[in-house]
Amino acid sequence: MIGDVYQFADLQSMCKPKPDAPPPKLATVERWLRAQGVPFCYDGQGGVWTTLEALNAALGLAGGNKARDTYDPNELG
């Protein structure tokens, strides 16, 4: 992962069925991303990439990155 960008190898590890299984092929990763509703782009090197925000939004966790925002202890009523 580079910053908040998940590269093809990261996505392969996320969608493979078992830890000891071989890395999934591009078609499998694409199918998994589409099934989860995650938008992605092709990287021009035979893979795909997406962002942390795209993954969170697809999983219903949009806005769930509040820890990255400025912390204000006064908000904790």
Side-chain angles (χ1 to χ4, degrees):
M1 183 168 87
I2 299 175
D4 288 346
V5 175
Y6 285 90
Q7 298 174 300
F8 182 55
D10 303 314
L11 299 169
Q12 284 179 303
S13 67
M14 284 184 209
C15 76
K16 72 179 171 179
K18 298 178 186 174
D20 58 339
K25 297 183 184 214
L26 177 60
T28 303
V29 175
E30 287 181 52
R31 193 169 39 251
W32 177 77
L33 288 166
R34 284 189 182 103
Q36 304 306 315
V38 179
F40 62 91
C41 293
Y42 293 93
D43 64 12
Q45 299 174 14
V48 293
W49 62 273
T50 192
T51 63
L52 176 60
E53 287 186 36
L55 282 167
N56 284 342
L59 297 173
L61 302 174
N65 289 331
K66 294 229 179 228
R68 293 182 175 201
D69 294 341
T70 305
Y71 175 70
D72 182 0
N74 295 321
E75 291 181 10
L76 301 174

